[in-house]
Amino acid sequence: MEKTFGMIKPDAVERNLVGKILARIEAEGFKLVALRRIQMSKAQAEGFYAVHRQRPFFNDLTTYMSSGPALLMVLERENAILEWRNLMGATNPKDAAPGTLRKEFAIDIEKNSLHGSDAPETAAFEIPYFFSQTEIIS
Ligand code: IDP
Ligand code: MG
């Protein structure tokens, strides 16, 4: 069983989409092994997205991510990292395949409703960025 880090971003929490998204996650065979609702600080968002520091969208992205509450999740299933990326769909909802969560819910390339780790090394950074070992219960 593999674990990945996921988020329901502020744009989706604000539009009351949490229940619909969690239902879909469970229906697709993921187990929610950790869950928390927070509003991250700008500094926390900057640390989380440090890999994107040089990108032109970094300041807007970290402002948006700290603008309201988000849901933090650790998801577990076989091949969780790839399967969660597949369920989310492409970063830009215009490119997201039918049936993906971003196709259904995302507003635009920035406010794209969901986050997911993109590789094992990323999950290994992102999970402990927000969760302690005792909060993750398989
Ligand atoms: P990902 O979330 O699909 O892994 P990344 O390239 O890692 O996509 O980008 C992180 C986040 O930054 C995206 O989910 C989105 O919110 C935002 N983002 C990515 N590219 C752009 C862009 O070109 N303009 C504005 N925001 C962007
Ligand atoms: Mg990414």
Side-chain angles (χ1 to χ4, degrees):
M1 281 296 173
E2 187 175 61
K3 290 182 181 66
T4 191
F5 178 77
M7 272 196 279
I8 303 178
K9 294 183 177 183
D11 71 274
V13 174
E14 188 184 3
R15 288 177 291 142
N16 272 0
L17 295 170
V18 167
K20 276 185 183 156
I21 291 169
L22 293 184
R24 188 74 194 284
I25 288 170
E26 291 192 320
E28 298 288 341
F30 294 90
K31 188 171 174 183
L32 282 154
V33 297
L35 191 60
R36 195 191 316 134
R37 184 178 183 276
I38 66 155
Q39 179 162 359
M40 63 179 88
S41 66
K42 173 90 164 150
Q44 244 176 332
E46 287 168 354
F48 182 78
Y49 281 116
V51 61
H52 292 312
R53 184 156 286 146
Q54 302 307 324
R55 303 288 199 90
F57 57 79
F58 181 72
N59 186 54
D60 281 354
L61 171 63
T62 53
T63 297
Y64 150 61
M65 288 301 296
S66 55
S67 69
L71 229 81
L72 314 177
M73 311 178 279
V74 180
L75 305 176
E76 185 180 83
R77 63 163 279 177
E78 272 176 31
N79 224 357
I81 294 171
L82 188 65
E83 294 293 348
W84 175 231
R85 295 285 305 186
N86 288 344
L87 179 57
M88 287 199 303
T91 306
N92 188 342
K94 288 179 181 151
D95 303 326
T100 63
L101 293 170
R102 280 169 165 169
K103 178 71 174 184
E104 188 172 355
F105 297 122
I107 294 170
D108 58 32
I109 192 170
E110 179 190 72
K111 295 178 176 57
N112 60 4
S113 302
L114 299 153
H115 170 85
S117 307
D118 63 5
E121 315 80 71
T122 320
F125 168 76
E126 293 178 347
I127 293 171
Y129 191 84
F130 286 112
F131 289 103
S132 66
Q133 221 23 267
T134 56
E135 293 176 287
I136 302 167
I137 305 159
S138 291

